[in-house]
mmCIF file of all heavy atoms in Angstrom:
data_model
loop_
_atom_site.group_PDB
_atom_site.id
_atom_site.type_symbol
_atom_site.label_atom_id
_atom_site.label_comp_id
_atom_site.label_asym_id
_atom_site.label_seq_id
_atom_site.Cartn_x
_atom_site.Cartn_y
_atom_site.Cartn_z
ATOM 1 N N ASP A 300 0.802 -1.219 0.000
ATOM 2 C CA ASP A 300 0.000 0.000 0.000
ATOM 3 C C ASP A 300 0.836 1.269 0.000
ATOM 4 O O ASP A 300 0.374 2.338 0.389
ATOM 5 C CB ASP A 300 -0.983 0.021 1.183
ATOM 6 C CG ASP A 300 -2.234 0.831 0.847
ATOM 7 O OD1 ASP A 300 -2.752 0.676 -0.264
ATOM 8 O OD2 ASP A 300 -2.673 1.627 1.686
ATOM 9 N N ASN A 301 2.069 1.179 -0.471
ATOM 10 C CA ASN A 301 2.883 2.378 -0.653
ATOM 11 C C ASN A 301 2.632 2.956 -2.044
ATOM 12 O O ASN A 301 2.448 2.212 -3.013
ATOM 13 C CB ASN A 301 4.375 2.046 -0.507
ATOM 14 C CG ASN A 301 4.711 1.500 0.858
ATOM 15 O OD1 ASN A 301 4.359 2.100 1.871
ATOM 16 N ND2 ASN A 301 5.391 0.370 0.901
ATOM 17 N N ILE A 302 2.641 4.279 -2.149
ATOM 18 C CA ILE A 302 2.499 4.932 -3.452
ATOM 19 C C ILE A 302 3.845 4.927 -4.154
ATOM 20 O O ILE A 302 4.886 5.203 -3.558
ATOM 21 C CB ILE A 302 1.984 6.367 -3.270
ATOM 22 C CG1 ILE A 302 0.567 6.340 -2.677
ATOM 23 C CG2 ILE A 302 1.990 7.126 -4.582
ATOM 24 C CD1 ILE A 302 0.014 7.696 -2.345
ATOM 25 N N VAL A 303 3.842 4.589 -5.452
ATOM 26 C CA VAL A 303 5.071 4.425 -6.231
ATOM 27 C C VAL A 303 5.159 5.555 -7.255
ATOM 28 O O VAL A 303 4.184 5.862 -7.945
ATOM 29 C CB VAL A 303 5.079 3.058 -6.945
ATOM 30 C CG1 VAL A 303 6.381 2.854 -7.701
ATOM 31 C CG2 VAL A 303 4.872 1.931 -5.926
ATOM 32 N N ASP A 304 6.319 6.169 -7.360
ATOM 33 C CA ASP A 304 6.511 7.257 -8.310
ATOM 34 C C ASP A 304 6.683 6.726 -9.734
ATOM 35 O O ASP A 304 7.048 5.566 -9.958
ATOM 36 C CB ASP A 304 7.740 8.086 -7.923
ATOM 37 C CG ASP A 304 7.532 8.856 -6.630
ATOM 38 O OD1 ASP A 304 6.366 9.216 -6.341
ATOM 39 O OD2 ASP A 304 8.515 9.093 -5.909
ATOM 40 N N GLU A 305 6.435 7.600 -10.682
ATOM 41 C CA GLU A 305 6.549 7.272 -12.101
ATOM 42 C C GLU A 305 7.940 6.735 -12.423
ATOM 43 O O GLU A 305 8.963 7.284 -12.016
ATOM 44 C CB GLU A 305 6.272 8.542 -12.929
ATOM 45 C CG GLU A 305 6.376 8.376 -14.425
ATOM 46 C CD GLU A 305 5.166 7.688 -15.032
ATOM 47 O OE1 GLU A 305 4.196 7.428 -14.307
ATOM 48 O OE2 GLU A 305 5.190 7.406 -16.240
ATOM 49 N N GLY A 306 7.980 5.610 -13.171
ATOM 50 C CA GLY A 306 9.243 5.051 -13.647
ATOM 51 C C GLY A 306 9.925 4.086 -12.701
ATOM 52 O O GLY A 306 10.936 3.486 -13.065
ATOM 53 N N TYR A 307 9.380 3.915 -11.490
ATOM 54 C CA TYR A 307 10.024 3.039 -10.514
ATOM 55 C C TYR A 307 9.478 1.613 -10.614
ATOM 56 O O TYR A 307 8.344 1.389 -11.026
ATOM 57 C CB TYR A 307 9.819 3.575 -9.095
ATOM 58 C CG TYR A 307 10.762 4.690 -8.737
ATOM 59 C CD1 TYR A 307 10.571 5.973 -9.249
ATOM 60 C CD2 TYR A 307 11.851 4.482 -7.897
ATOM 61 C CE1 TYR A 307 11.441 7.010 -8.929
ATOM 62 C CE2 TYR A 307 12.719 5.512 -7.562
ATOM 63 C CZ TYR A 307 12.501 6.773 -8.086
ATOM 64 O OH TYR A 307 13.369 7.800 -7.768
ATOM 65 N N TYR A 308 10.309 0.651 -10.186
ATOM 66 C CA TYR A 308 9.888 -0.745 -10.118
ATOM 67 C C TYR A 308 9.080 -0.975 -8.847
ATOM 68 O O TYR A 308 9.369 -0.381 -7.805
ATOM 69 C CB TYR A 308 11.095 -1.686 -10.112
ATOM 70 C CG TYR A 308 11.859 -1.698 -11.417
ATOM 71 C CD1 TYR A 308 13.101 -1.100 -11.504
ATOM 72 C CD2 TYR A 308 11.328 -2.317 -12.550
ATOM 73 C CE1 TYR A 308 13.821 -1.100 -12.694
ATOM 74 C CE2 TYR A 308 12.029 -2.325 -13.740
ATOM 75 C CZ TYR A 308 13.278 -1.709 -13.804
ATOM 76 O OH TYR A 308 13.970 -1.716 -14.990
ATOM 77 N N PHE A 309 8.091 -1.867 -8.917
ATOM 78 C CA PHE A 309 7.292 -2.171 -7.732
ATOM 79 C C PHE A 309 6.526 -3.473 -7.967
ATOM 80 O O PHE A 309 6.398 -3.952 -9.091
ATOM 81 C CB PHE A 309 6.311 -1.031 -7.422
ATOM 82 C CG PHE A 309 5.135 -0.942 -8.369
ATOM 83 C CD1 PHE A 309 3.854 -1.266 -7.944
ATOM 84 C CD2 PHE A 309 5.307 -0.542 -9.687
ATOM 85 C CE1 PHE A 309 2.769 -1.186 -8.797
ATOM 86 C CE2 PHE A 309 4.228 -0.449 -10.549
ATOM 87 C CZ PHE A 309 2.960 -0.772 -10.111
ATOM 88 N N THR A 310 6.022 -4.033 -6.871
ATOM 89 C CA THR A 310 5.119 -5.186 -6.933
ATOM 90 C C THR A 310 3.704 -4.680 -6.705
ATOM 91 O O THR A 310 3.391 -4.166 -5.639
ATOM 92 C CB THR A 310 5.483 -6.224 -5.859
ATOM 93 O OG1 THR A 310 6.798 -6.716 -6.109
ATOM 94 C CG2 THR A 310 4.500 -7.387 -5.878
ATOM 95 N N PRO A 311 2.828 -4.766 -7.720
ATOM 96 C CA PRO A 311 1.491 -4.197 -7.569
ATOM 97 C C PRO A 311 0.616 -4.962 -6.594
ATOM 98 O O PRO A 311 0.848 -6.152 -6.336
ATOM 99 C CB PRO A 311 0.902 -4.269 -8.987
ATOM 100 C CG PRO A 311 1.851 -5.035 -9.813
ATOM 101 C CD PRO A 311 3.053 -5.385 -9.015
ATOM 102 N N LYS A 312 -0.400 -4.261 -6.054
ATOM 103 C CA LYS A 312 -1.405 -4.959 -5.259
ATOM 104 C C LYS A 312 -2.144 -5.909 -6.185
ATOM 105 O O LYS A 312 -2.508 -5.557 -7.293
ATOM 106 C CB LYS A 312 -2.384 -3.959 -4.649
ATOM 107 C CG LYS A 312 -1.752 -3.071 -3.596
ATOM 108 C CD LYS A 312 -2.770 -2.165 -2.950
ATOM 109 C CE LYS A 312 -3.545 -2.893 -1.886
ATOM 110 N NZ LYS A 312 -2.733 -3.174 -0.691
ATOM 111 N N GLY A 313 -2.358 -7.117 -5.733
ATOM 112 C CA GLY A 313 -2.995 -8.126 -6.566
ATOM 113 C C GLY A 313 -2.828 -9.480 -5.920
ATOM 114 O O GLY A 313 -2.827 -9.614 -4.702
ATOM 115 N N ASN A 314 -2.628 -10.492 -6.728
ATOM 116 C CA ASN A 314 -2.554 -11.838 -6.172
ATOM 117 C C ASN A 314 -1.212 -12.506 -6.427
ATOM 118 O O ASN A 314 -1.091 -13.709 -6.292
ATOM 119 C CB ASN A 314 -3.686 -12.701 -6.759
ATOM 120 C CG ASN A 314 -3.627 -12.739 -8.290
ATOM 121 O OD1 ASN A 314 -2.764 -12.108 -8.895
ATOM 122 N ND2 ASN A 314 -4.543 -13.474 -8.882
ATOM 123 N N ASP A 315 -0.180 -11.732 -6.789
ATOM 124 C CA ASP A 315 1.116 -12.338 -7.077
ATOM 125 C C ASP A 315 2.232 -11.484 -6.483
ATOM 126 O O ASP A 315 2.596 -10.451 -7.037
ATOM 127 C CB ASP A 315 1.313 -12.475 -8.586
ATOM 128 C CG ASP A 315 2.550 -13.307 -8.926
ATOM 129 O OD1 ASP A 315 3.337 -13.601 -8.007
ATOM 130 O OD2 ASP A 315 2.717 -13.652 -10.109
ATOM 131 N N PRO A 316 2.814 -11.913 -5.340
ATOM 132 C CA PRO A 316 3.883 -11.128 -4.734
ATOM 133 C C PRO A 316 5.219 -11.263 -5.456
ATOM 134 O O PRO A 316 6.199 -10.649 -5.039
ATOM 135 C CB PRO A 316 3.965 -11.710 -3.315
ATOM 136 C CG PRO A 316 3.532 -13.120 -3.473
ATOM 137 C CD PRO A 316 2.473 -13.108 -4.541
ATOM 138 N N CYS A 317 5.268 -12.056 -6.517
ATOM 139 C CA CYS A 317 6.520 -12.271 -7.241
ATOM 140 C C CYS A 317 6.582 -11.490 -8.553
ATOM 141 O O CYS A 317 7.377 -11.806 -9.431
ATOM 142 C CB CYS A 317 6.729 -13.761 -7.511
ATOM 143 S SG CYS A 317 7.122 -14.712 -6.024
ATOM 144 N N LEU A 318 5.717 -10.487 -8.704
ATOM 145 C CA LEU A 318 5.765 -9.636 -9.886
ATOM 146 C C LEU A 318 6.637 -8.416 -9.616
ATOM 147 O O LEU A 318 6.628 -7.851 -8.533
ATOM 148 C CB LEU A 318 4.372 -9.145 -10.264
ATOM 149 C CG LEU A 318 3.457 -10.087 -11.041
ATOM 150 C CD1 LEU A 318 2.143 -9.382 -11.324
ATOM 151 C CD2 LEU A 318 4.098 -10.528 -12.343
ATOM 152 N N SER A 319 7.368 -7.997 -10.630
ATOM 153 C CA SER A 319 8.082 -6.736 -10.595
ATOM 154 C C SER A 319 7.696 -5.967 -11.853
ATOM 155 O O SER A 319 7.889 -6.456 -12.967
ATOM 156 C CB SER A 319 9.596 -6.960 -10.547
ATOM 157 O OG SER A 319 10.275 -5.718 -10.530
ATOM 158 N N CYS A 320 7.101 -4.783 -11.657
ATOM 159 C CA CYS A 320 6.580 -3.996 -12.771
ATOM 160 C C CYS A 320 7.171 -2.594 -12.735
ATOM 161 O O CYS A 320 7.721 -2.154 -11.732
ATOM 162 C CB CYS A 320 5.057 -3.900 -12.716
ATOM 163 S SG CYS A 320 4.190 -5.482 -12.651
ATOM 164 N N THR A 321 7.018 -1.887 -13.837
ATOM 165 C CA THR A 321 7.397 -0.487 -13.914
ATOM 166 C C THR A 321 6.144 0.366 -13.845
ATOM 167 O O THR A 321 5.147 0.069 -14.498
ATOM 168 C CB THR A 321 8.151 -0.200 -15.228
ATOM 169 O OG1 THR A 321 9.290 -1.041 -15.316
ATOM 170 C CG2 THR A 321 8.594 1.263 -15.284
ATOM 171 N N CYS A 322 6.165 1.422 -13.043
ATOM 172 C CA CYS A 322 5.022 2.325 -12.937
ATOM 173 C C CYS A 322 5.042 3.307 -14.104
ATOM 174 O O CYS A 322 6.011 4.046 -14.298
ATOM 175 C CB CYS A 322 5.078 3.090 -11.611
ATOM 176 S SG CYS A 322 3.717 4.264 -11.404
ATOM 177 N N HIS A 323 3.957 3.319 -14.891
ATOM 178 C CA HIS A 323 3.843 4.234 -16.025
ATOM 179 C C HIS A 323 2.419 4.771 -16.098
ATOM 180 O O HIS A 323 1.473 4.013 -16.293
ATOM 181 C CB HIS A 323 4.202 3.521 -17.337
ATOM 182 C CG HIS A 323 4.073 4.386 -18.554
ATOM 183 N ND1 HIS A 323 4.840 5.510 -18.747
ATOM 184 C CD2 HIS A 323 3.250 4.298 -19.635
ATOM 185 C CE1 HIS A 323 4.506 6.078 -19.892
ATOM 186 N NE2 HIS A 323 3.539 5.365 -20.449
ATOM 187 N N ASN A 324 2.265 6.076 -15.895
ATOM 188 C CA ASN A 324 0.949 6.723 -15.925
ATOM 189 C C ASN A 324 -0.052 6.049 -14.976
ATOM 190 O O ASN A 324 -1.214 5.843 -15.322
ATOM 191 C CB ASN A 324 0.385 6.736 -17.346
ATOM 192 C CG ASN A 324 1.140 7.692 -18.253
ATOM 193 O OD1 ASN A 324 1.773 8.635 -17.781
ATOM 194 N ND2 ASN A 324 1.080 7.442 -19.553
ATOM 195 N N GLY A 325 0.417 5.670 -13.807
ATOM 196 C CA GLY A 325 -0.463 5.056 -12.824
ATOM 197 C C GLY A 325 -0.812 3.614 -13.088
ATOM 198 O O GLY A 325 -1.660 3.045 -12.415
ATOM 199 N N GLU A 326 -0.149 2.995 -14.067
ATOM 200 C CA GLU A 326 -0.429 1.598 -14.409
ATOM 201 C C GLU A 326 0.859 0.785 -14.311
ATOM 202 O O GLU A 326 1.938 1.279 -14.637
ATOM 203 C CB GLU A 326 -0.971 1.484 -15.843
ATOM 204 C CG GLU A 326 -2.282 2.184 -16.089
ATOM 205 C CD GLU A 326 -3.467 1.324 -15.729
ATOM 206 O OE1 GLU A 326 -3.248 0.216 -15.205
ATOM 207 O OE2 GLU A 326 -4.599 1.759 -15.972
ATOM 208 N N PRO A 327 0.759 -0.493 -13.859
ATOM 209 C CA PRO A 327 1.931 -1.366 -13.893
ATOM 210 C C PRO A 327 2.162 -1.880 -15.307
ATOM 211 O O PRO A 327 1.253 -2.415 -15.937
ATOM 212 C CB PRO A 327 1.554 -2.502 -12.929
ATOM 213 C CG PRO A 327 0.068 -2.483 -12.865
ATOM 214 C CD PRO A 327 -0.404 -1.114 -13.236
ATOM 215 N N GLU A 328 3.369 -1.702 -15.806
ATOM 216 C CA GLU A 328 3.693 -2.157 -17.160
ATOM 217 C C GLU A 328 5.021 -2.912 -17.133
ATOM 218 O O GLU A 328 5.797 -2.822 -16.196
ATOM 219 C CB GLU A 328 3.784 -0.967 -18.122
ATOM 220 C CG GLU A 328 2.445 -0.273 -18.360
ATOM 221 C CD GLU A 328 2.508 0.758 -19.474
ATOM 222 O OE1 GLU A 328 3.618 1.021 -19.972
ATOM 223 O OE2 GLU A 328 1.444 1.287 -19.837
#
């Protein structure tokens, strides 16, 4: 539940703690 800045890597809220995504325009990509 931490807010992630644009362009940073993060694990999104969801059902998979093993994802690493890039934050782009408020969406995990």
Side-chain angles (χ1 to χ4, degrees):
D300 209 43
N301 299 309
I302 295 175
V303 183
D304 292 330
E305 179 77 5
Y307 280 75
Y308 292 108
F309 73 110
T310 297
K312 292 184 81 71
N314 57 359
D315 189 350
C317 289
L318 280 181
S319 179
C320 305
T321 303
C322 179
H323 178 63
N324 290 337
E326 297 274 5
E328 293 189 353

